[in-house]
């Protein structure tokens, strides 16, 4: 039997978000009535092109960018690949890329496999993080060389919510003449962004993380930045990304960006307060529970908590029986006993990394939901620890 949204307590918004009703309303006419091709000469299609222009403006407004700097893609992953591959192809004489040890697989796996994708050998510097998930800026400065083609550093970490000082990092890269890309998939809509005042050259975002549909993304490309398309084809996006536009999703993303600007205050006050209540409640009622990530340099919606000596998957299964949705930082279901690469990079001990749960809230969460989770979690952990051979005598 399907589980309906009204039956679940959804605290997995870093995985994906619900489409906002306002977003769906904005999209519907473009799935039904206005189906013309935006590239057409006729008025019927041309009006769709105008609606796309309006959406482009709404997205640019949220980012503090110009509409001409917005390129529509299919997802955050495509945006990440486009930026990094564009930069390294633009500078064939350079063979060095800088990133971090805690990137999303969209950047991490690309950087791990650059030789396969480009047929050339690359030296990749993966910057380490401290125990609280923050970066060592001195190490970053020292790693920039004349051979560096691009720096790619996420704005906010998807597992812990830890924020990196990408504006400062982009400025440092610019002073060395190096392009800077940020994967801002988790940051857009949650932290204020004004790209005009930064030296960021590329920024990736993804619709389904901010209450727009899955399958739509954006790559911001600063005016004048060398650019080589990832998808060649028609003249869409001024030749920067071929393929007939995903019209309804673009309209939805525009509306979602306007909505995110309106709700950013609430995200940073009410949602932050709910997250703090959840986090402090768990840390104070469950013994041997630890927060992963910097206490303040963090997204307002994310809490990553380790419950020592229990398995994340087992916790999630018990939560699932209560229709509470969250994510775990371990990957035991894939057959590997390796905990998340993010928690490993932070040096979280094995016994804690395996029992980590990521709660990620949104404007749709309520205090009643947080109270419900707080009332149930201690029991779940106590039951599981009673079965754990590692828990005895702790
Ligand atoms: N980057 C980050 C930080 C993410 O959290 C995600 C999705 O979880 C992605 C990239 C990939 O985005 P998409 O699912 O749109 O490809």
């Amino acid at each position: 039997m399907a589980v309906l949204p009204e039956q679940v307590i959804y605290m997995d918004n870093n995985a994906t978000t619900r489409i906002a009703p306002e977003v769906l309303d904005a999209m519907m006419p473009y799935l039904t009535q206005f189906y013309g091709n935006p590239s057409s000469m006729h008025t019927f299609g041309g009006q769709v092109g105008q609606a796309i222009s309006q959406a482009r403006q709404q997205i640019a407004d949220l980012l503090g960018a110009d509409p001409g700097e917005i390129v529509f893609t299919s997802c955050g992953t495509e945006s990440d690949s486009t930026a990094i591959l564009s930069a390294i192809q633009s500078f064939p004489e350079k063979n060095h890329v800088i990133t971090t040890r805690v990137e999303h697989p969209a950047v991490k796996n690309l950087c791990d496999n650059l030789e396969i994708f480009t047929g050339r050998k690359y030296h990749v510097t993966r910057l380490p993080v401290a125990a609280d998930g923050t970066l060592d800026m001195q190490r970053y400065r020292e790693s920039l060389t004349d051979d560096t083609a691009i720096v790619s550093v996420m704005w906010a970490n998807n597992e812990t919510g830890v924020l990196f000082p990408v504006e400062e990092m982009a400025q440092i890269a610019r002073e060395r003449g190096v392009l800077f890309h940020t994967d801002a998939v988790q940051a857009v809509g949650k932290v204020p962004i004004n790209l005009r005042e930064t030296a960021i050259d590329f920024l990736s975002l993804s619709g389904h993380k901010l209450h727009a549909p899955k399958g739509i993304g954006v790559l911001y490309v600063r005016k004048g930045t060398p650019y080589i398309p990832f998808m060649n084809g028609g003249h869409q996006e001024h030749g920067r990304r071929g393929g007939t536009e995903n019209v309804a999703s673009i309209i939805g993303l525009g509306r979602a960006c306007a909505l995110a600007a309106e709700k950013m205050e609430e995200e940073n006050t009410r949602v932050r307060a709910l997250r703090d209540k959840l986090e402090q409640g768990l840390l104070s009622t469950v013994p041997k529970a630890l927060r992963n990530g910097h206490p303040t340099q963090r997204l307002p919606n994310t809490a990553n908590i380790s419950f020592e000596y229990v398995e994340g998957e087992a916790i999630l299964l018990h939560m699932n029986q209560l229709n509470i949705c969250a994510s775990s930082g371990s990957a035991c279901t894939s057959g590997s006993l390796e905990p998340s690469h993010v928690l490993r990079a932070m040096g979280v001990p094995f016994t804690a990394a395996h029992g980590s749960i990521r709660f990620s809230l949104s404007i749709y969460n309520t205090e009643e939901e947080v109270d419900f989770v707080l009332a149930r979690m201690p029991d779940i952990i106590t039951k599981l620890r009673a079965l754990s051979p590692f828990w005895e005598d702790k």
Side-chain angles (χ1 to χ4, degrees):
M1 270 295 278
V3 181
L4 296 169
E6 53 272 22
Q7 296 163 345
V8 304
I9 294 184
Y10 190 75
M11 295 191 174
D12 204 11
N13 287 278
N14 288 11
T16 198
T17 59
R18 67 173 281 192
I19 298 183
E22 297 90 332
V23 168
L24 190 61
D25 283 350
M27 292 172 65
M28 282 311 281
Y30 295 91
L31 290 166
T32 51
Q33 287 168 282
F34 302 113
Y35 54 81
N37 190 318
S39 304
S40 305
M41 283 301 290
H42 44 72
T43 309
F44 183 62
Q47 65 195 355
V48 175
Q50 281 167 18
I52 290 182
S53 299
Q54 192 199 337
R56 204 184 291 280
Q57 183 69 58
Q58 288 169 314
I59 296 158
D61 288 347
L62 181 67
L63 300 178
D66 293 334
E69 296 174 316
I70 303 300
V71 178
F72 291 112
T73 65
S74 66
C75 58
T77 303
E78 184 190 327
S79 300
D80 288 341
S81 278
T82 305
I84 295 169
L85 293 175
S86 169
I88 62 177
Q89 287 171 70
S90 297
F91 299 104
E93 70 287 4
K94 299 187 176 192
N95 64 356
H96 179 223
V97 171
I98 299 175
T99 183
T100 76
R101 291 206 187 149
V102 295
E103 296 298 310
H104 184 273
V107 168
K108 180 183 180 294
N109 290 347
L110 177 68
C111 289
D112 287 349
N113 293 295
L114 279 176
E115 192 176 344
I116 296 173
F117 293 117
T118 62
R120 296 185 49 206
K121 275 204 182 312
Y122 278 86
H123 170 56
V124 180
T125 300
R126 297 174 185 83
L127 297 169
V129 293
D132 63 4
T134 55
L135 281 176
D136 177 346
M137 291 295 280
Q138 190 52 32
R139 189 88 177 254
Y140 166 57
R141 277 194 188 84
E142 287 163 8
S143 65
L144 284 158
T145 73
D146 293 341
D147 289 327
T148 312
I150 188 163
V151 178
S152 179
V153 172
M154 65 199 326
W155 200 312
N157 187 272
N158 47 300
E159 292 190 28
T160 60
V162 170
L163 296 163
F164 287 147
V166 288
E167 289 149 304
E168 186 187 346
M169 296 177 87
Q171 190 54 44
I172 295 168
R174 179 176 284 181
E175 282 158 19
R176 292 294 308 264
V178 176
L179 292 183
F180 190 92
H181 165 248
T182 184
D183 174 341
V185 164
Q186 295 291 346
V188 172
K190 296 179 195 138
V191 300
I193 295 177
N194 187 354
L195 289 169
R196 271 186 211 103
E197 286 179 7
T198 75
I200 292 167
D201 299 294
F202 295 108
L203 174 144
S204 304
L205 72 86
S206 174
H208 73 106
K209 309 290 181 176
L210 70 152
H211 305 293
K214 296 162 186 62
I216 183 71
V218 159
L219 179 64
Y220 157 86
V221 185
R222 179 176 294 280
K223 192 164 181 268
T225 303
Y227 180 84
I228 296 176
F230 180 62
M231 303 240 315
N232 287 284
H235 293 295
Q236 293 90 357
E237 301 303 285
H238 292 287
R240 292 173 298 179
R241 201 271 189 182
T244 302
E245 296 86 341
N246 180 354
V247 175
S249 295
I250 289 174
I251 307 299
L253 180 56
R255 185 71 186 94
C257 285
L259 212 57
E262 283 168 34
K263 303 278 184 186
M264 195 162 322
E265 170 79 18
E266 179 183 348
E267 183 88 43
N268 281 279
T269 51
R270 193 183 68 81
V271 176
R272 185 187 293 276
L274 287 183
R275 188 277 309 270
D276 289 347
K277 180 174 183 181
L278 177 66
E279 183 169 290
Q280 281 150 23
L282 291 172
L283 294 177
S284 60
T285 55
V286 182
K288 301 254 180 210
L290 319 160
R291 182 197 50 239
N292 295 312
H294 193 276
T296 55
Q297 205 174 302
R298 212 163 29 127
L299 290 175
N301 77 319
T302 309
N304 188 311
I305 310 284
S306 280
F307 302 98
E308 284 193 273
Y309 306 103
V310 273
E311 284 295 334
E313 270 72 13
I315 304 172
L316 286 184
L317 284 176
H318 279 71
M319 291 168 71
N320 188 49
Q321 284 170 357
L322 299 167
N323 283 338
I324 305 170
C325 307
S327 284
S328 94
S330 54
C332 305
T333 43
S334 62
S336 125
L337 282 176
E338 283 293 296
S340 103
H341 69 283
V342 175
L343 299 184
R344 265 184 300 147
M346 291 160 68
V348 175
F350 189 80
T351 48
H354 269 292
S356 80
I357 299 292
R358 177 188 69 186
F359 300 88
S360 47
L361 308 187
S362 83
I363 51 165
Y364 297 109
N365 287 114
T366 64
E367 186 150 17
E368 288 70 40
E369 291 178 326
V370 168
D371 290 339
F372 181 86
V373 173
L374 283 176
R376 298 300 193 284
M377 287 304 288
D379 247 21
I380 293 178
I381 305 298
T382 306
K383 269 190 211 147
L384 289 171
R385 280 180 177 160
L387 302 172
S388 165
F390 302 110
W391 177 245
E392 284 166 30
D393 307 325
K394 292 293 178 293

